[in-house]
Amino acid sequence: MTMVSLALTRFEKAFPANLKGKRLGAVLHPASVLPDLHYTLDLLKEYDGKLFKLSALFGPQHGIKGHTQDNMIEWEGYTDPELGIPVYSLYGEHREPTPEMLSHVDMMLVDLQDVGARYYTFIWTLFLCMKACEKAGIPVIVVDRPNPINCIDEEGPVLDLDYTSFVGLHSIRTRHAKTIGELAVQFKEERFPKCELYVLGMEGYDKKMWYDQTGLPWILPSPNMPTLDTAIVYPGMCLFEATNVSEGRGTTRPFEIFGAPFIDAVKLCKYMNGLKLPGVYFRENYFQPTFHKGAGQICGGAQIHVLDRDKFRSFDMAVKLLQYIFNEYPKDFAWKQPPYEYEFKKLPIDILLGNGTFRKEFIESSI
Protein backbone atom coordinates (compact mmCIF):
# COMPACT_ATOMS: atom_id res chain seq x y z
CA MET A 1 0.00 0.00 0.00
CA THR A 2 1.26 3.44 -0.92
CA MET A 3 1.48 5.86 1.96
CA VAL A 4 0.28 9.26 0.87
CA SER A 5 2.23 12.01 2.56
CA LEU A 6 0.34 15.12 3.66
CA ALA A 7 2.11 18.47 3.70
CA LEU A 8 1.40 18.58 7.45
CA THR A 9 4.15 15.98 7.98
CA ARG A 10 6.71 18.43 6.54
CA PHE A 11 4.89 21.51 7.73
CA GLU A 12 7.77 23.90 8.35
CA LYS A 13 9.20 23.21 4.89
CA ALA A 14 5.79 23.41 3.17
CA PHE A 15 4.61 26.58 4.90
CA PRO A 16 4.83 29.67 2.65
CA ALA A 17 8.06 31.44 3.62
CA ASN A 18 6.67 34.90 2.87
CA LEU A 19 3.87 34.44 5.42
CA LYS A 20 6.02 33.51 8.41
CA GLY A 21 5.52 35.55 11.55
CA LYS A 22 1.98 36.67 10.72
CA ARG A 23 -1.28 36.03 12.61
CA LEU A 24 -2.90 32.75 11.55
CA GLY A 25 -6.56 31.74 11.56
CA ALA A 26 -7.36 28.04 10.99
CA VAL A 27 -10.52 26.32 9.75
CA LEU A 28 -10.56 22.84 11.29
CA HIS A 29 -12.83 19.89 12.07
CA PRO A 30 -12.41 16.43 13.67
CA ALA A 31 -10.80 14.90 10.56
CA SER A 32 -8.09 17.58 10.57
CA VAL A 33 -5.48 15.06 11.70
CA LEU A 34 -1.98 13.94 10.82
CA PRO A 35 -1.26 10.33 9.75
CA ASP A 36 -0.28 9.56 13.38
CA LEU A 37 -3.78 10.68 14.49
CA HIS A 38 -2.60 13.85 16.24
CA TYR A 39 -4.81 16.84 15.50
CA THR A 40 -3.72 19.57 13.14
CA LEU A 41 -4.46 21.93 16.02
CA ASP A 42 -1.73 20.23 18.08
CA LEU A 43 0.69 20.84 15.22
CA LEU A 44 -0.37 24.49 15.00
CA LYS A 45 0.17 24.87 18.75
CA GLU A 46 3.67 23.44 18.30
CA TYR A 47 4.54 26.11 15.72
CA ASP A 48 2.67 28.93 17.42
CA GLY A 49 5.20 31.68 18.07
CA LYS A 50 7.72 30.08 15.69
CA LEU A 51 6.13 30.07 12.22
CA PHE A 52 3.16 32.29 13.04
CA LYS A 53 0.94 33.59 15.81
CA LEU A 54 -2.17 31.42 16.15
CA SER A 55 -4.89 34.01 16.71
CA ALA A 56 -8.31 32.52 15.77
CA LEU A 57 -10.03 29.22 14.99
CA PHE A 58 -13.00 28.59 12.72
CA GLY A 59 -15.28 25.58 12.41
CA PRO A 60 -17.67 24.39 9.64
CA GLN A 61 -20.97 22.49 9.83
CA HIS A 62 -21.10 20.07 12.81
CA GLY A 63 -18.58 22.23 14.66
CA ILE A 64 -14.83 22.30 15.05
CA LYS A 65 -15.21 19.23 17.29
CA GLY A 66 -17.95 17.54 15.25
CA HIS A 67 -20.26 17.90 18.22
CA THR A 68 -23.57 18.66 16.45
CA GLN A 69 -24.85 15.25 15.45
CA ASP A 70 -27.91 15.97 13.33
CA ASN A 71 -28.07 17.73 9.97
CA MET A 72 -28.57 21.50 9.67
CA ILE A 73 -27.98 22.17 13.37
CA GLU A 74 -26.23 25.48 13.91
CA TRP A 75 -23.60 26.05 16.57
CA GLU A 76 -22.24 29.20 18.14
CA GLY A 77 -18.67 30.30 18.67
CA TYR A 78 -16.78 30.57 21.94
CA THR A 79 -13.35 31.35 23.36
CA ASP A 80 -10.86 28.48 23.40
CA PRO A 81 -10.19 27.89 27.12
CA GLU A 82 -6.55 26.86 26.64
CA LEU A 83 -5.43 29.30 23.95
CA GLY A 84 -7.67 32.21 24.91
CA ILE A 85 -8.43 32.91 21.25
CA PRO A 86 -11.85 33.14 19.54
CA VAL A 87 -13.41 30.06 17.94
CA TYR A 88 -15.82 31.26 15.26
CA SER A 89 -18.74 29.30 13.87
CA LEU A 90 -19.09 29.26 10.09
CA TYR A 91 -22.35 27.35 10.39
CA GLY A 92 -24.51 29.61 12.50
CA GLU A 93 -25.43 33.24 12.15
CA HIS A 94 -22.62 33.52 9.57
CA ARG A 95 -21.30 31.06 6.98
CA GLU A 96 -18.90 33.56 5.43
CA PRO A 97 -16.23 35.01 7.73
CA THR A 98 -17.13 38.58 8.66
CA PRO A 99 -14.70 41.53 8.58
CA GLU A 100 -14.73 41.44 12.40
CA MET A 101 -13.65 37.77 12.41
CA LEU A 102 -10.95 38.45 9.84
CA SER A 103 -9.65 41.43 11.81
CA HIS A 104 -7.92 38.87 14.05
CA VAL A 105 -5.91 37.23 11.25
CA ASP A 106 -3.39 38.00 8.51
CA MET A 107 -3.80 34.63 6.77
CA MET A 108 -6.27 31.73 6.79
CA LEU A 109 -5.34 28.04 6.83
CA VAL A 110 -8.08 25.61 5.75
CA ASP A 111 -7.65 21.93 6.63
CA LEU A 112 -10.90 20.07 5.92
CA GLN A 113 -11.45 16.51 4.71
CA ASP A 114 -13.98 16.44 1.86
CA VAL A 115 -15.82 13.32 0.64
CA GLY A 116 -16.11 14.03 -3.09
CA ALA A 117 -19.75 15.12 -3.42
CA ARG A 118 -21.07 18.63 -4.14
CA TYR A 119 -23.57 18.48 -1.27
CA TYR A 120 -20.87 18.18 1.39
CA THR A 121 -20.74 21.65 2.86
CA PHE A 122 -17.06 21.82 3.83
CA ILE A 123 -16.05 22.77 0.28
CA TRP A 124 -18.51 25.67 0.42
CA THR A 125 -17.02 26.83 3.72
CA LEU A 126 -13.69 26.92 1.84
CA PHE A 127 -15.40 28.79 -1.03
CA LEU A 128 -16.81 31.46 1.30
CA CYS A 129 -13.49 31.79 3.14
CA MET A 130 -11.78 32.44 -0.20
CA LYS A 131 -14.48 34.97 -1.08
CA ALA A 132 -14.11 36.86 2.20
CA CYS A 133 -10.32 36.67 2.20
CA GLU A 134 -10.10 37.96 -1.36
CA LYS A 135 -12.11 41.01 -0.29
CA ALA A 136 -9.91 41.54 2.75
CA GLY A 137 -6.61 40.88 0.97
CA ILE A 138 -5.88 37.92 3.24
CA PRO A 139 -3.95 34.90 1.84
CA VAL A 140 -5.57 31.45 2.01
CA ILE A 141 -3.53 28.30 2.64
CA VAL A 142 -5.29 25.02 1.81
CA VAL A 143 -4.02 21.67 3.08
CA ASP A 144 -4.72 19.24 0.25
CA ARG A 145 -6.18 15.85 1.16
CA PRO A 146 -7.35 12.83 -0.87
CA ASN A 147 -10.77 12.62 -2.45
CA PRO A 148 -11.98 9.42 -0.71
CA ILE A 149 -13.95 8.21 -3.76
CA ASN A 150 -11.17 8.92 -6.30
CA CYS A 151 -10.55 11.75 -8.74
CA ILE A 152 -11.47 9.80 -11.87
CA ASP A 153 -15.20 9.02 -11.77
CA GLU A 154 -17.72 11.86 -12.10
CA GLU A 155 -21.48 11.60 -11.66
CA GLY A 156 -24.61 13.72 -11.82
CA PRO A 157 -25.49 17.06 -13.39
CA VAL A 158 -23.51 20.29 -13.18
CA LEU A 159 -25.04 22.83 -10.79
CA ASP A 160 -27.20 25.49 -12.44
CA LEU A 161 -26.26 28.72 -10.63
CA ASP A 162 -29.96 29.63 -10.38
CA TYR A 163 -30.08 26.81 -7.82
CA THR A 164 -27.27 27.88 -5.54
CA SER A 165 -27.48 27.09 -1.83
CA PHE A 166 -25.09 25.95 0.87
CA VAL A 167 -24.95 22.54 -0.88
CA GLY A 168 -23.75 24.19 -4.09
CA LEU A 169 -22.31 27.66 -4.69
CA HIS A 170 -20.40 27.04 -7.93
CA SER A 171 -20.94 25.01 -11.10
CA ILE A 172 -19.43 21.60 -10.37
CA ARG A 173 -20.85 18.11 -10.86
CA THR A 174 -22.54 16.14 -8.10
CA ARG A 175 -19.56 13.80 -7.82
CA HIS A 176 -16.84 16.25 -8.73
CA ALA A 177 -13.70 14.04 -8.90
CA LYS A 178 -11.38 16.65 -7.36
CA THR A 179 -9.39 17.02 -4.18
CA ILE A 180 -10.14 19.99 -1.94
CA GLY A 181 -6.89 21.58 -3.13
CA GLU A 182 -7.93 21.19 -6.76
CA LEU A 183 -11.31 22.73 -5.95
CA ALA A 184 -9.55 25.68 -4.30
CA VAL A 185 -7.57 26.24 -7.51
CA GLN A 186 -10.78 26.02 -9.56
CA PHE A 187 -12.54 28.51 -7.28
CA LYS A 188 -9.61 30.92 -7.63
CA GLU A 189 -9.49 30.60 -11.42
CA GLU A 190 -13.24 30.88 -11.96
CA ARG A 191 -14.50 33.04 -9.09
CA PHE A 192 -11.80 34.66 -6.97
CA PRO A 193 -8.87 35.56 -9.23
CA LYS A 194 -7.40 38.05 -6.74
CA CYS A 195 -7.35 35.56 -3.86
CA GLU A 196 -3.76 34.87 -2.81
CA LEU A 197 -3.90 31.07 -2.67
CA TYR A 198 -1.36 28.52 -1.49
CA VAL A 199 -2.13 24.79 -1.77
CA LEU A 200 0.04 22.56 0.41
CA GLY A 201 0.22 19.49 -1.81
CA MET A 202 0.40 15.77 -1.12
CA GLU A 203 3.18 13.40 -2.11
CA GLY A 204 2.52 9.88 -3.39
CA TYR A 205 -1.13 10.56 -4.27
CA ASP A 206 -2.63 9.03 -7.41
CA LYS A 207 -5.97 10.31 -8.73
CA LYS A 208 -7.19 6.70 -9.10
CA MET A 209 -6.85 6.05 -5.36
CA TRP A 210 -9.73 5.27 -3.06
CA TYR A 211 -9.16 6.39 0.51
CA ASP A 212 -8.30 2.90 1.77
CA GLN A 213 -5.41 2.82 -0.71
CA THR A 214 -3.74 5.97 0.68
CA GLY A 215 -2.46 4.50 3.95
CA LEU A 216 -4.10 7.37 5.83
CA PRO A 217 -6.48 6.76 8.76
CA TRP A 218 -10.19 7.33 8.21
CA ILE A 219 -11.60 9.81 10.71
CA LEU A 220 -15.29 10.70 10.58
CA PRO A 221 -15.31 14.10 8.82
CA SER A 222 -18.90 14.51 10.04
CA PRO A 223 -21.03 12.45 12.43
CA ASN A 224 -23.00 10.67 9.69
CA MET A 225 -20.00 9.80 7.52
CA PRO A 226 -18.63 6.89 9.59
CA THR A 227 -16.80 4.92 6.88
CA LEU A 228 -15.48 5.00 3.34
CA ASP A 229 -18.46 2.80 2.41
CA THR A 230 -20.72 5.68 3.47
CA ALA A 231 -18.83 8.10 1.22
CA ILE A 232 -19.15 5.70 -1.74
CA VAL A 233 -22.98 5.69 -1.62
CA TYR A 234 -23.34 9.32 -0.50
CA PRO A 235 -23.33 11.09 -3.94
CA GLY A 236 -26.67 9.44 -4.65
CA MET A 237 -28.17 8.67 -1.27
CA CYS A 238 -27.89 12.25 -0.01
CA LEU A 239 -30.84 12.95 -2.34
CA PHE A 240 -33.03 11.13 0.20
CA GLU A 241 -32.54 14.08 2.57
CA ALA A 242 -35.09 15.83 0.32
CA THR A 243 -37.79 13.20 0.97
CA ASN A 244 -39.83 11.73 3.81
CA VAL A 245 -37.89 8.46 3.39
CA SER A 246 -35.19 7.91 6.00
CA GLU A 247 -31.64 8.03 4.65
CA GLY A 248 -30.55 6.04 7.68
CA ARG A 249 -29.78 8.90 10.06
CA GLY A 250 -30.28 7.65 13.58
CA THR A 251 -28.72 4.28 12.68
CA THR A 252 -25.17 2.98 12.60
CA ARG A 253 -25.08 2.84 8.76
CA PRO A 254 -26.44 6.19 7.48
CA PHE A 255 -26.89 6.44 3.69
CA GLU A 256 -26.08 2.73 3.26
CA ILE A 257 -29.50 1.85 4.61
CA PHE A 258 -32.74 3.62 3.81
CA GLY A 259 -36.46 3.03 4.20
CA ALA A 260 -39.82 4.18 5.50
CA PRO A 261 -42.75 2.64 7.41
CA PHE A 262 -44.76 2.48 4.17
CA ILE A 263 -42.17 0.68 2.00
CA ASP A 264 -42.48 -3.05 1.21
CA ALA A 265 -38.82 -4.08 1.52
CA VAL A 266 -39.16 -7.39 -0.34
CA LYS A 267 -40.90 -5.81 -3.30
CA LEU A 268 -38.45 -2.91 -3.49
CA CYS A 269 -35.38 -5.17 -3.44
CA LYS A 270 -36.86 -7.51 -6.04
CA TYR A 271 -37.46 -4.57 -8.37
CA MET A 272 -34.09 -2.90 -7.82
CA ASN A 273 -32.08 -6.12 -8.12
CA GLY A 274 -34.05 -6.87 -11.30
CA LEU A 275 -32.58 -3.72 -12.87
CA LYS A 276 -29.12 -5.32 -12.62
CA LEU A 277 -27.41 -2.02 -11.87
CA PRO A 278 -23.63 -2.40 -12.03
CA GLY A 279 -21.74 -3.27 -8.87
CA VAL A 280 -24.57 -3.23 -6.34
CA TYR A 281 -26.98 -5.56 -4.53
CA PHE A 282 -30.03 -4.58 -2.46
CA ARG A 283 -30.68 -6.66 0.64
CA GLU A 284 -34.05 -6.25 2.34
CA ASN A 285 -33.63 -4.49 5.64
CA TYR A 286 -35.69 -3.26 8.58
CA PHE A 287 -34.57 -0.65 11.10
CA GLN A 288 -35.79 1.72 13.78
CA PRO A 289 -34.04 5.11 13.73
CA THR A 290 -33.19 6.52 17.14
CA PHE A 291 -33.69 10.08 15.85
CA HIS A 292 -34.60 11.99 12.68
CA LYS A 293 -37.13 10.68 10.12
CA GLY A 294 -39.01 7.56 11.22
CA ALA A 295 -37.67 7.78 14.78
CA GLY A 296 -39.10 4.95 16.87
CA GLN A 297 -40.91 3.41 13.90
CA ILE A 298 -40.02 0.25 12.02
CA CYS A 299 -38.88 1.23 8.54
CA GLY A 300 -38.75 -1.20 5.65
CA GLY A 301 -36.17 -0.72 2.95
CA ALA A 302 -32.77 -2.00 1.99
CA GLN A 303 -29.11 -2.05 2.79
CA ILE A 304 -27.01 -1.13 -0.22
CA HIS A 305 -24.15 -3.58 -0.69
CA VAL A 306 -21.54 -2.24 -3.12
CA LEU A 307 -19.95 -5.27 -4.78
CA ASP A 308 -17.76 -3.45 -7.30
CA ARG A 309 -17.04 0.16 -6.41
CA ASP A 310 -15.32 0.88 -9.73
CA LYS A 311 -18.50 0.04 -11.67
CA PHE A 312 -21.02 1.28 -9.09
CA ARG A 313 -22.72 4.62 -9.76
CA SER A 314 -24.43 5.96 -6.65
CA PHE A 315 -26.21 8.87 -8.30
CA ASP A 316 -27.82 6.79 -11.08
CA MET A 317 -28.85 4.18 -8.51
CA ALA A 318 -30.49 6.76 -6.22
CA VAL A 319 -32.44 8.29 -9.12
CA LYS A 320 -33.81 4.83 -10.01
CA LEU A 321 -34.72 4.25 -6.35
CA LEU A 322 -36.52 7.56 -6.05
CA GLN A 323 -38.35 6.99 -9.32
CA TYR A 324 -39.60 3.60 -8.06
CA ILE A 325 -40.71 4.89 -4.63
CA PHE A 326 -42.34 8.00 -6.15
CA ASN A 327 -44.42 5.87 -8.51
CA GLU A 328 -45.09 2.94 -6.18
CA TYR A 329 -46.24 4.98 -3.16
CA PRO A 330 -47.90 8.14 -4.54
CA LYS A 331 -50.05 8.63 -1.42
CA ASP A 332 -47.27 8.09 1.10
CA PHE A 333 -44.12 9.43 -0.51
CA ALA A 334 -43.47 13.17 -0.26
CA TRP A 335 -40.79 15.66 -1.18
CA LYS A 336 -39.45 17.64 1.76
CA GLN A 337 -40.52 21.28 1.70
CA PRO A 338 -38.23 24.30 2.19
CA PRO A 339 -36.24 25.58 3.96
CA TYR A 340 -33.15 23.52 3.27
CA GLU A 341 -29.53 24.64 3.66
CA TYR A 342 -30.46 28.33 3.73
CA GLU A 343 -32.68 28.13 0.63
CA PHE A 344 -36.23 29.14 1.55
CA LYS A 345 -38.22 28.89 -1.70
CA LYS A 346 -37.04 26.12 -4.00
CA LEU A 347 -37.69 22.43 -3.26
CA PRO A 348 -34.79 20.75 -1.44
CA ILE A 349 -34.68 18.00 -4.09
CA ASP A 350 -34.13 20.60 -6.81
CA ILE A 351 -31.41 22.25 -4.72
CA LEU A 352 -29.66 18.90 -4.30
CA LEU A 353 -30.06 17.96 -7.96
CA GLY A 354 -28.79 21.41 -8.86
CA ASN A 355 -31.47 22.33 -11.38
CA GLY A 356 -35.22 22.61 -11.83
CA THR A 357 -35.82 20.09 -14.62
CA PHE A 358 -34.07 16.86 -13.59
CA ARG A 359 -36.70 15.89 -10.99
CA LYS A 360 -39.62 15.98 -13.45
CA GLU A 361 -37.72 14.40 -16.32
CA PHE A 362 -35.99 11.52 -14.52
CA ILE A 363 -37.73 10.91 -11.17
CA GLU A 364 -41.38 11.88 -11.50
CA SER A 365 -41.65 10.21 -14.89
CA SER A 366 -43.39 6.83 -15.08
CA ILE A 367 -41.45 3.58 -14.95
Side-chain angles (χ1 to χ4, degrees), residues 39 62 155 159 176 192 247 252 256 273 275 299 335 353:
Y39 284 115
H62 301 293
E155 295 185 58
L159 174 73
H176 51 70
F192 311 119
E247 66 272 20
T252 54
E256 290 178 72
N273 287 325
L275 295 178
C299 297
W335 297 116
L353 290 168

Side-chain angles (χ1 to χ4, degrees), residues 1 21 63 68 73 107 112 116 133 142 157 160 172 186 188 195 219 253 275 297 305 315 327 345 354 358 367:
M1 181 189 291
T68 56
I73 300 296
M107 54 184 165
L112 299 173
C133 287
V142 176
D160 176 343
I172 60 174
Q186 182 179 357
K188 173 179 168 62
C195 177
I219 308 295
R253 306 297 285 195
L275 295 178
Q297 297 177 276
H305 293 269
F315 185 85
N327 283 280
K345 293 181 180 177
F358 194 99
I367 55 176

Side-chain angles (χ1 to χ4, degrees), residues 5 37 42 78 82 111-112 154 180 235 271 275 295 302 331:
S5 171
L37 298 173
D42 293 333
Y78 54 94
E82 179 192 346
D111 182 21
L112 299 173
E154 297 183 26
I180 195 164
Y271 173 81
L275 295 178
K331 293 181 180 177

Side-chain angles (χ1 to χ4, degrees), residues 80-144:
D80 184 279
E82 179 192 346
L83 297 169
I85 62 175
V87 179
Y88 291 113
S89 171
L90 297 179
Y91 197 80
E93 183 181 353
H94 303 284
R95 284 161 303 289
E96 179 179 331
T98 65
E100 193 280 325
M101 294 176 188
L102 293 180
S103 69
H104 295 267
V105 305
D106 302 311
M107 54 184 165
M108 180 85 86
L109 181 136
V110 180
D111 182 21
L112 299 173
Q113 177 63 59
D114 182 40
V115 299
R118 174 176 55 75
Y119 327 116
Y120 214 55
T121 62
F122 300 149
I123 61 174
W124 305 120
T125 294
L126 165 66
F127 181 93
L128 293 176
C129 284
M130 291 179 67
K131 180 183 177 186
C133 287
E134 182 190 51
K135 280 186 214 164
I138 292 173
V140 176
I141 307 164
V142 176
V143 178
D144 204 9

Side-chain angles (χ1 to χ4, degrees), residues 244 262 324-335:
N244 64 341
F262 58 82
Y324 170 79
I325 298 169
F326 178 87
N327 283 280
E328 187 68 21
Y329 302 101
K331 293 181 180 177
D332 298 300
F333 176 80
W335 297 116

Side-chain angles (χ1 to χ4, degrees), residues 109-239:
L109 181 136
V110 180
D111 182 21
L112 299 173
Q113 177 63 59
D114 182 40
V115 299
R118 174 176 55 75
Y119 327 116
Y120 214 55
T121 62
F122 300 149
I123 61 174
W124 305 120
T125 294
L126 165 66
F127 181 93
L128 293 176
C129 284
M130 291 179 67
K131 180 183 177 186
C133 287
E134 182 190 51
K135 280 186 214 164
I138 292 173
V140 176
I141 307 164
V142 176
V143 178
D144 204 9
R145 288 180 174 272
N147 180 332
I149 57 175
N150 80 47
C151 286
I152 301 295
D153 300 315
E154 297 183 26
E155 295 185 58
V158 173
L159 174 73
D160 176 343
L161 289 178
D162 287 338
Y163 285 80
T164 56
S165 70
F166 202 51
V167 289
L169 291 168
H170 187 57
S171 294
I172 60 174
R173 289 188 70 178
T174 309
R175 182 179 176 184
H176 51 70
K178 295 195 173 183
T179 68
I180 195 164
E182 289 173 329
L183 284 172
V185 171
Q186 182 179 357
F187 295 157
K188 173 179 168 62
E189 289 175 349
E190 298 176 3
R191 298 293 291 272
F192 311 119
K194 294 180 181 175
C195 177
E196 186 180 336
L197 176 68
Y198 301 84
V199 176
L200 307 188
M202 297 176 279
E203 291 179 357
Y205 180 64
D206 188 310
K207 291 174 77 70
K208 297 187 188 75
M209 283 179 171
W210 298 80
Y211 199 87
D212 56 8
Q213 296 168 326
T214 65
L216 297 171
W218 178 271
I219 308 295
L220 287 76
S222 60
N224 287 288
M225 194 60 61
T227 68
L228 173 58
D229 291 335
T230 323
I232 290 170
V233 300
Y234 180 75
M237 293 308 295
C238 183
L239 296 175

Side-chain angles (χ1 to χ4, degrees), residues 4-25:
V4 171
S5 171
L6 301 177
L8 295 173
T9 60
R10 49 187 187 282
F11 190 56
E12 191 166 4
K13 184 180 176 183
F15 194 83
N18 60 312
L19 299 181
K20 289 179 180 177
K22 296 177 181 278
R23 297 174 303 160
L24 179 81

